[in-house]
Amino acid sequence: MIRKVRPHITQNEPLLFETSSPGKIGYQLPDLDVPAVDAAAALGRENVREEIEDFPEVSEVEAIRHFTRLSTYNYAIDLGLYPLGSCTMKYNPRVNEAVARIDGLSWIHPYQPESLSQGAMAIVGALEDALVEITGMDAVTLQPAAGAHGEFTGILLVRALHESRGGARKKVLIPDSAHGTNPATARMAGYQVANVPSNERGMIDIEALAKLCDEETAALMVTNPNTVGVFEENITKIAAILHAKGAMVYMDGANMNALVGIARPGDFGVDVMHLNLHKTFSTPHGGGGPGSGAVAVKSHLIPFLPSPRLARGEHGWTWNYDLPRTIGKVRAFYGNFGVLVRALAYIMAHGGPGLRNATMDALLNANYLRAKLEPYFEHPHQAPTMHECVFSDARQARRGVHTGDIAKRLIDYGFHPYTVSFPLIVAGAMMIEPTETEGKRELDLFVDAMISIAREVEEEPETVLKAPHSTRTNRVDEVGAARRPVVRWKPDKSAS
Ligand SMILES: *Cc1c(COP(=O)(O)O)cnc(C)c1O
């Protein structure tokens, strides 16, 4: 008989607090060789505390092992494909990190005088110029800290423009395929949201749009290519419909990695847009780290851009705060500078032709996956695929297996799941974005895994329904976690 043992390194690493043992220390300081000072007398009694309640007391090696074990529980883009759609989890070339860590850039302080910050300001200026060229717009602000923040900034600009023309207007039109941040942004900026339906090809229904668009419309927020991975073929007609009513076209540029070097929003009627530098220009994201939602505008919106604006003066770069019509500041200082450095490094390392190649490879990879997987999974929109493809679980659902089950099973095959159940207009959506950074070998491994799962669904659906089988925890109670979150740990005093 084979005796089962409980592994020493457990599947469920306890909290550091739970491994605490009173009096244990992780360091030892030498004896004091200067006269002792009474802390309370020196700092004031109210600033001194005897102990920190429930502070974990562990040895150095226990602390290190705890965090090292936790680090091995993660899936990462440096381990394998991360096919989340609408996210562009692309590999972050290490040259970006080397550049961002240059002492003069990583230690710079925002209160440093302009005369000592010229290099950093030149980086900001070069990135603004590059993004103006890439988008075909007239000016860029790098202040917003993420995509959603860029949207909010952009819609505030639209609002300011309309107010300057006599009234803010009432509503923002948003296609039903939009990312959830779009309606949230419109509401936060004080607008009502009107839904624009999509047609059977996954594109905006032009006739419905024309009916909805009136003199109370402030803007249309359109993602292009949209979240179904389809380019809005009628984008110039769409822009004309909006402009005829004095409304603006806002483009959610989170999917710009499908356009860079091929098409420019400024050339197809967009008035204002944001870019997710942390998606398109490679800064790693998804771990809650900083991002950048750069906003690009056409000239009529420039006067309202956030303060300050970078300017090239007689004696070099300066920050211009003299902006009477600005919407104000949207972020402390000048934005997430480290992300800006990485984005510029990425752009310059590629150069114009290189960026275009990256886009072409992103499209090629997505189309490769579509072609390979179409025989096994339903592809609801018969329109050309851009940088991502959206399947539905329609065939598998007949066997009782849904998109979330297939995603969980992918984990057993060593892949991060794709985006589950988004966009909402595709029932049982499976949204896959490979990005250009994946080679054919990795894509083929992913295809093999997906085909294998499709077979399992036919032959042994239980295997998929109970997945994952290879992980430290199986299926967690997601509803419970959302409804009854435990956000504060309290020691179980009775146990000790
Ligand atoms: C990611 C994304 C956003 C939001 O960007 P964040 O940086 O996560 O705030 C908005 N729209 C689309 C289409 C996106 O993919």
Side-chain angles (χ1 to χ4, degrees):
M1 193 185 104
I2 298 173
R3 199 159 66 92
K4 279 223 167 132
V5 295
R6 194 167 163 272
H8 164 59
I9 295 178
T10 64
Q11 304 281 315
N12 267 321
E13 178 72 10
L15 296 177
L16 199 55
F17 300 91
E18 290 166 333
T19 59
S20 178
S21 157
K24 245 190 200 178
I25 52 171
Y27 62 88
Q28 214 164 5
L29 297 178
D31 289 340
L32 207 59
D33 58 359
V34 292
V37 172
D38 179 42
L43 301 171
R45 181 150 307 282
E46 70 281 9
N47 296 319
V48 178
R49 57 182 166 186
E50 291 304 321
E51 72 165 329
I52 306 171
E53 203 196 349
D54 298 332
F55 194 75
E57 295 174 80
V58 295
S59 71
E60 177 178 305
V61 69
E62 283 168 339
I64 286 184
R65 284 186 182 153
H66 172 73
F67 288 109
T68 304
R69 285 173 190 164
L70 286 184
S71 77
T72 67
Y73 291 17
N74 283 341
Y75 189 86
I77 194 75
D78 291 344
L79 276 174
L81 175 71
Y82 224 112
L84 278 177
S86 199
C87 273
T88 313
M89 299 288 290
K90 67 169 77 176
Y91 172 75
N92 174 47
R94 288 304 181 266
V95 64
N96 301 349
E97 296 304 309
V99 173
R101 281 169 174 71
I102 291 172
D103 274 357
L105 298 178
S106 60
W107 287 97
I108 194 167
H109 195 282
Y111 280 137
Q112 218 163 284
E114 283 179 2
S115 61
L116 298 177
S117 309
Q118 289 295 304
M121 294 166 86
I123 286 173
V124 172
L127 181 59
E128 284 186 7
D129 288 349
L131 296 179
V132 161
E133 185 174 337
I134 287 167
T135 57
M137 306 294 280
D138 295 326
V140 167
T141 174
L142 301 172
Q143 254 187 55
H149 195 196
E151 290 173 34
F152 185 56
T153 305
I155 293 299
L156 288 184
L157 296 173
V158 167
R159 196 181 175 96
L161 177 75
H162 285 308
E163 276 170 354
S164 77
R165 291 177 176 174
R169 301 191 168 201
K170 288 215 174 79
K171 61 179 180 183
V172 169
L173 310 182
I174 300 182
D176 54 9
S177 61
H179 195 269
T181 49
N182 292 183
T185 290
R187 289 296 296 164
M188 278 183 67
Y191 286 112
Q192 292 157 13
V193 173
N195 243 308
V196 186
S198 303
N199 61 24
E200 70 294 340
R201 298 184 71 214
M203 297 176 199
I204 287 179
D205 180 336
I206 299 255
E207 275 156 36
L209 174 75
K211 280 201 197 106
L212 281 166
C213 187
D214 57 21
E215 263 79 29
E216 286 301 345
T217 305
L220 165 76
M221 293 183 85
V222 57
T223 308
N224 200 15
N226 63 26
T227 57
V228 190
V230 171
F231 188 82
E232 293 286 352
E233 285 173 359
N234 292 314
I235 188 67
T236 51
K237 270 190 216 153
I238 290 170
I241 291 171
L242 272 291
H243 291 156
K245 302 283 182 190
M248 302 288 114
V249 177
Y250 182 96
M251 189 177 114
D252 178 330
N255 294 336
M256 207 39 211
N257 58 310
L259 300 186
V260 174
I262 297 178
R264 307 196 312 164
D267 298 337
F268 54 67
V270 170
D271 299 280
V272 47
M273 65 178 292
H274 82 264
L275 297 149
N276 293 54
L277 299 189
H278 49 288
K279 292 180 180 175
T280 307
F281 299 103
S282 89
T283 282
H285 77 295
S292 176
V295 171
V297 296
K298 278 296 181 72
S299 57
H300 47 285
L301 288 160
I302 290 179
F304 309 101
L305 282 171
S307 162
R309 299 277 309 136
L310 187 68
R312 200 198 293 264
E314 232 175 280
H315 306 290
W317 298 96
T318 58
W319 288 112
N320 178 15
Y321 289 85
D322 182 21
L323 304 162
R325 301 167 80 191
T326 176
I327 59 166
K329 275 187 89 53
V330 297
R331 173 90 172 88
F333 305 114
Y334 319 107
N336 283 329
F337 182 66
V339 180
L340 309 184
V341 174
R342 288 175 179 85
L344 184 63
Y346 180 82
I347 290 170
M348 293 183 73
H350 277 76
L355 287 175
R356 185 185 158 85
N357 277 347
T359 305
M360 299 302 278
D361 285 348
L363 304 192
L364 179 64
N365 281 354
N367 279 281
Y368 182 73
L369 289 186
R370 175 181 171 172
K372 288 279 182 183
L373 295 178
E374 227 164 1
Y376 304 89
F377 298 92
E378 200 77 18
H379 192 279
H381 296 108
Q382 292 312 311
T385 291
M386 294 289 284
H387 64 301
E388 61 194 357
C389 43
V390 179
F391 293 94
S392 95
D393 65 11
R395 281 181 224 178
Q396 288 70 32
R398 277 181 230 127
R399 311 275 303 175
V401 177
H402 295 96
T403 175
D405 304 313
I406 299 167
K408 296 282 188 206
R409 185 63 175 144
L410 261 181
I411 298 171
D412 287 333
Y413 285 85
F415 289 101
H416 191 283
Y418 48 76
T419 295
V420 174
S421 304
F422 180 81
L424 301 175
I425 57 166
V426 175
M430 307 161 57
M431 184 194 225
I432 303 172
E433 177 179 7
T435 80
E436 80 284 359
T437 44
E438 300 306 327
K440 184 167 178 298
R441 198 184 106 84
E442 186 80 8
L443 294 181
D444 283 338
L445 289 172
F446 179 73
V447 166
D448 288 349
M450 289 293 287
I451 293 174
S452 177
I453 296 170
R455 288 214 183 91
E456 287 173 345
V457 171
E458 294 305 318
E459 291 158 15
E460 39 171 332
E462 283 297 297
T463 307
V464 183
L465 286 169
K466 296 213 170 104
H469 305 279
S470 61
T471 49
R472 291 179 161 80
T473 44
N474 183 250
R475 297 207 181 185
V476 293
D477 178 3
E478 289 168 15
V479 177
R483 296 247 168 98
R484 297 183 305 279
V486 181
V487 292
R488 171 174 262 258
W489 180 82
K490 266 284 167 204
D492 184 1
K493 294 259 162 66
S494 66
S496 58

